[in-house]
């Protein structure tokens, strides 16, 4: 089982950024703990602050992975390009958010990508990533 985790803008700052919302763990720590629990899963990771690069990662991952876990961060709420990329590929994508976007500012209540994803997991802190991996291992 090969899974690609893709993180969007500002998620390179996890562990330092608004720790009251996103927690103290870095993405390396989060993915390490997921890998420990799912040793048979090959987990690759990409992050970009640039919308088009996220589109490229999605296109490149098509057929190369069994699943994609995508935290598109702020682009979740704005990006038709990322929504289109998810629709264009066959590899299933699970949308992930660390915070509960529906409990936050109004502009975060809309996801342009949800409808093109298998499902959406959010609000469980860093465990949101683990729950998404769990889905692919059901
Ligand atoms: C986020 C929620 C988004 O609204 C925000 O822009 C992020 C992170 C989350 O993981 O909770 O950068 O996707």
């Amino acid at each position: 089982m090969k899974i690609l985790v893709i993180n969007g803008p500002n998620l390179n700052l996890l562990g330092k950024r608004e720790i009251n919302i996103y927690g103290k763990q870095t993405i390396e720590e989060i993915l390490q703990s997921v890998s420990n629990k799912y040793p048979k899963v090959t987990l690759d990771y990409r992050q970009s602050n640039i919308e088009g690069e996220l589109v490229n990662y999605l296109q490149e991952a098509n057929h190369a992975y069994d699943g994609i876990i995508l935290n598109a961060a702020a682009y979740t709420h704005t990006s038709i390009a990322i929504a289109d990329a998810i629709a264009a590929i066959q590899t299933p994508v699970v949308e992930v958010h660390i915070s509960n976007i529906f409990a936050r500012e109004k502009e975060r209540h809309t996801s342009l990508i949800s409808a093109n994803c298998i499902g959406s997991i959010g609000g469980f802190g860093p465990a949101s990533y683990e729950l998404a991996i769990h889905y692919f291992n059901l």
Side-chain angles (χ1 to χ4, degrees):
M1 165 87 58
K2 273 185 78 182
I3 303 288
L4 179 65
V5 176
I6 304 176
N7 268 352
N10 300 304
L11 292 170
N12 52 313
L13 300 179
L14 274 181
K16 295 186 213 137
R17 168 197 186 201
E18 297 179 278
I19 55 175
N20 54 318
I21 299 173
Y22 300 114
K24 285 187 182 163
Q25 279 186 289
T26 63
I27 190 66
E28 289 76 18
E29 289 167 345
I30 293 169
L31 296 183
Q32 187 56 57
S33 103
V34 172
S35 281
N36 293 344
K37 288 180 187 156
Y38 292 91
K40 286 187 188 148
V41 175
T42 302
L43 214 54
D44 288 337
Y45 177 63
R46 306 258 185 289
Q47 188 276 331
S48 180
N49 295 324
I50 300 166
E51 185 178 13
E53 278 186 4
L54 298 169
V55 170
N56 286 342
Y57 294 156
L58 287 162
Q59 291 185 9
E60 286 159 16
N62 195 24
H63 302 303
Y65 288 89
D66 299 299
I68 299 168
I69 294 170
L70 173 65
N71 186 344
Y75 288 134
T76 302
H77 317 298
T78 63
S79 179
I80 296 173
I82 292 174
D84 284 350
I86 297 165
I89 64 174
Q90 277 79 52
T91 303
V93 178
V94 172
E95 175 184 10
V96 155
H97 299 286
I98 296 167
S99 65
N100 178 354
I101 58 174
F102 302 104
R104 300 184 62 192
E105 307 93 312
K106 217 173 170 200
E107 59 271 23
R108 296 183 202 274
H109 295 184
T110 302
S111 168
L112 298 188
I113 67 170
S114 291
N116 296 341
C117 293
I118 295 282
S120 186
I121 298 170
F124 298 97
S128 296
Y129 290 94
E130 187 183 326
L131 293 169
I133 299 276
H134 180 67
Y135 162 72
F136 285 115
N137 283 276
L138 288 175

